[in-house]
Amino acid sequence: MSDLRRGAENALLNKMLKLQERLEGTLGTLPATATELHDALRQILQKAVRTESLTTPPYKASGLLVFSESKEKSRRGGPVYAIAGGPKDFVRRTADVDPKERIVRDDGAVIHFTITVEEPPGAGVLFIHSYDFELYFPQNGPVGFVRFDLNKLEHKNSDLGVRSHLHPSHENLLVPSPLLSPTELLCFLVYGLRLRREDGRV
């Protein structure tokens, strides 16, 4: 690698690290406890079922939201919890989709997410360790997937300045993304990221 190219890449890395610092300051207000966050996410899912934005049956939607203690180490001296929405599918692009077993939108897209949070003592607000929120289209959908990731602090992506990023339908494509709250992300995956056709456009 030439010195010129190496210098350009180092300059880009420094810019990305500064961008990451700025993006991490975009996170809005979070609840005080993991239980409150779990309840807020459950309410979003229940409303989406009522408005028929999801085809997942009402009696299944809440059950697909799993709350548990996490094995992640504490960073702020408090308990750490994990919240998962729907099972993780490693064959998601080819497997059949059952709305009773997945969080499925009315257009057939599937939502999956995991969040790891900590309740720092006396802080009054949650600390997010990591998250991933994915929307994918099974069986030859118009788009493969879109996923918003916040990697753990020790992940190599932190050193590259892209700890918070999105994947636009490819695992090796990382686009810097602002930190969004879990409720913002779930609402966006339920009601946003929809292909819309306008008259006169090809």
Side-chain angles (χ1 to χ4, degrees), residues 19-54:
L19 174 61
Q20 180 173 260
E21 288 182 13
R22 196 165 80 242
L23 293 176
E24 290 183 5
T26 61
L27 182 62
T29 303
L30 294 171
T33 68
T35 299
E36 289 177 19
L37 175 59
H38 174 267
D39 290 344
L41 294 168
R42 179 174 50 82
Q43 290 172 15
I44 292 170
L45 290 176
Q46 290 175 340
K47 181 177 181 179
V49 169
R50 289 196 305 271
T51 60
E52 299 182 348
S53 298
L54 294 179

Side-chain angles (χ1 to χ4, degrees), residues 43-192:
Q43 290 172 15
I44 292 170
L45 290 176
Q46 290 175 340
K47 181 177 181 179
V49 169
R50 289 196 305 271
T51 60
E52 299 182 348
S53 298
L54 294 179
T55 60
T56 303
Y59 62 92
K60 288 289 186 179
S62 294
L64 289 170
L65 191 63
V66 179
F67 181 90
S68 61
E69 292 187 10
S70 174
K71 296 180 180 179
E72 286 281 321
K73 65 178 182 180
S74 171
R75 294 186 175 279
R76 303 289 177 92
V80 182
Y81 299 96
I83 303 173
K88 181 69 173 178
D89 287 320
F90 293 100
V91 291
R92 56 194 179 279
R93 294 286 290 134
T94 57
D96 293 330
V97 173
D98 184 348
K100 295 180 182 178
E101 299 176 354
R102 306 285 185 274
I103 301 171
V104 183
R105 291 196 324 192
D106 55 333
D107 61 355
V110 182
I111 295 170
H112 164 78
F113 60 89
T114 59
I115 314 159
T116 305
V117 295
E118 181 174 345
E119 296 178 1
V125 64
L126 286 173
F127 172 72
I128 298 183
H129 283 221
S130 62
Y131 63 60
D132 69 86
F133 279 77
E134 183 176 65
L135 179 80
Y136 67 89
F137 289 85
Q139 304 292 355
N140 300 317
V143 178
F145 68 91
V146 177
R147 188 172 71 247
F148 293 84
D149 283 345
L150 175 66
N151 294 137
K152 301 173 187 177
L153 286 168
E154 63 270 21
H155 196 284
K156 64 180 180 180
N157 287 335
S158 296
D159 295 334
L160 298 175
V162 283
R163 180 181 174 227
S164 178
H165 60 270
L166 67 88
H167 293 272
S169 203
H170 197 292
E171 292 291 343
N172 293 327
L173 287 177
L174 283 70
V175 180
S177 171
L179 266 72
L180 299 171
S181 73
T183 53
E184 288 173 328
L185 281 163
L186 182 55
C187 284
F188 186 57
L189 294 192
V190 171
Y191 301 107

